Amino acid sequence: EQTMNEEENKKEEMEKRGEESEEESEEEEEEDDEEEKPIESMADLLEKMNELKEMMSETKEEMKDYDKKRKKRIRITPDLLTKKNPPINDGSIENTADNELQRLFHLKKIYLDGEELENISNLECYTGKMTHLYLQHNCLKSITDDFSFFYTIEFLALQHNQIEELPEHLKTLSHLAFLDLSHNKIENLTVQNLPTTLEYLNLEGNPCMTKQDSLIDDIIKHCPQLIQLDDMQITIAKRKDLGMDI
């Protein structure tokens, strides 16, 4: 009986070893299968190379576009001014570079809307006669001190930018009657920095206009010539209610 038990134990051990060796061989075969990846055909390699070339070409074009936009944002050039404010050529003035530059220096209305401008550096060189400036739909974050050079300006369109506050030098624009600052990011409006000459003011779409009642009253008191604020007409009755001299 002892001999039979020993033989049975040996049998079980051999069976276990056989199963283990089978599992190990299966695992080795799986590893071999993973290592032996099929070599890609020449056609597949060429296709991948072409895809890489296309991706690199697209990246280069995107970089060129970005560089053009970046350069455009840095300075306002005569070329940009001419593009946005083309001459009316009636044949009376010869179209030369000198004549074009002189024309730019004497523009009364300057259009620079929708040009992704982040600043207006160099614009003061062309504003000797300017009364109207259109800068809507750009990327301006502030009203920089460049604006203080616009002594003759009467109309200023700055809607749809990213302006966050009104600087003190804005009040020095003593001829400014129209100011559109709608759809910017002004949270705290310093009323005292508004020119008192304003007749039309638009602040719609700014966070500050959620505090409407007291702010509107302060603006009307500060700007005695104001006719319209956003879509509200400033009536004589409203001025009387605020105790203003009529």
Side-chain angles (χ1 to χ4, degrees), residues 78-104:
D79 287 342
L80 177 59
L81 282 167
T82 299
K83 183 189 89 169
K84 296 293 293 184
N85 306 270
I88 300 169
N89 194 352
D90 58 3
S92 60
I93 300 174
E94 189 181 356
N95 190 16
T96 65
D98 286 343
N99 286 340
E100 175 57 14
L101 203 56
Q102 284 299 316
R103 184 187 73 85
L104 294 177

Side-chain angles (χ1 to χ4, degrees), residues 197-227:
T197 52
L198 287 176
E199 296 176 12
Y200 175 95
L201 175 62
N202 193 352
L203 292 165
E204 188 180 4
N206 283 282
C208 65
M209 293 311 285
T210 56
K211 311 165 186 174
Q212 278 192 352
D213 292 341
S214 61
L215 182 60
I216 286 173
D217 290 351
D218 290 343
I219 292 170
I220 295 170
K221 287 177 186 177
H222 180 72
C223 303
Q225 299 179 49
L226 200 63
I227 298 168

Side-chain angles (χ1 to χ4, degrees), residues 83-225:
K83 183 189 89 169
K84 296 293 293 184
N85 306 270
I88 300 169
N89 194 352
D90 58 3
S92 60
I93 300 174
E94 189 181 356
N95 190 16
T96 65
D98 286 343
N99 286 340
E100 175 57 14
L101 203 56
Q102 284 299 316
R103 184 187 73 85
L104 294 177
F105 287 146
H106 290 83
L107 285 173
K108 288 191 174 182
K109 294 184 178 182
I110 293 181
Y111 294 87
L112 286 167
D113 52 298
E115 288 298 316
E116 298 185 0
L117 296 169
E118 289 184 351
N119 61 67
I120 55 166
S121 175
N122 206 42
L123 181 58
E124 68 273 11
C125 299
Y126 306 93
T127 56
K129 303 278 185 179
M130 183 186 67
T131 58
H132 290 61
L133 179 57
Y134 298 84
L135 285 167
Q136 66 269 31
H137 293 280
N138 278 297
C139 303
L140 300 174
K141 294 183 179 179
S142 62
I143 301 174
T144 59
D145 55 5
D146 300 285
F147 284 85
S148 59
F149 291 97
F150 307 156
Y151 309 113
T152 56
I153 193 166
E154 300 171 9
F155 180 107
L156 181 55
L158 287 167
Q159 63 268 36
H160 292 281
N161 276 280
Q162 299 170 25
I163 296 165
E164 297 178 355
E165 61 180 3
L166 298 187
E168 190 174 356
H169 57 256
L170 184 66
K171 67 183 179 184
T172 64
L173 302 179
S174 57
H175 296 282
L176 191 63
F178 179 103
L179 177 59
D180 194 340
L181 284 163
S182 59
H183 303 287
N184 276 281
K185 297 181 177 181
I186 303 169
E187 289 193 22
N188 297 305
L189 181 74
T190 307
V191 175
Q192 289 74 23
N193 291 345
L194 288 168
T196 57
T197 52
L198 287 176
E199 296 176 12
Y200 175 95
L201 175 62
N202 193 352
L203 292 165
E204 188 180 4
N206 283 282
C208 65
M209 293 311 285
T210 56
K211 311 165 186 174
Q212 278 192 352
D213 292 341
S214 61
L215 182 60
I216 286 173
D217 290 351
D218 290 343
I219 292 170
I220 295 170
K221 287 177 186 177
H222 180 72
C223 303
Q225 299 179 49

Side-chain angles (χ1 to χ4, degrees), residues 11-56:
K11 250 186 183 182
E12 286 175 5
E13 284 178 6
M14 287 178 68
E15 285 174 1
K16 280 182 183 177
R17 285 177 186 172
E19 287 172 3
E20 287 174 0
S21 63
E22 282 177 7
E23 287 175 2
E24 286 175 0
S25 63
E26 284 174 4
E27 286 175 2
E28 287 174 359
E29 285 175 7
E30 286 175 3
E31 288 175 1
D32 290 340
D33 288 340
E34 286 178 2
E35 289 174 1
E36 292 176 9
K37 291 180 180 176
I39 298 171
E40 292 180 331
S41 66
M42 186 59 71
D44 291 335
L45 287 171
L46 285 170
E47 186 177 348
K48 284 194 173 181
M49 285 177 68
N50 287 331
E51 286 175 1
L52 281 170
K53 281 181 183 177
E54 285 176 9
M55 286 171 65
M56 288 175 68

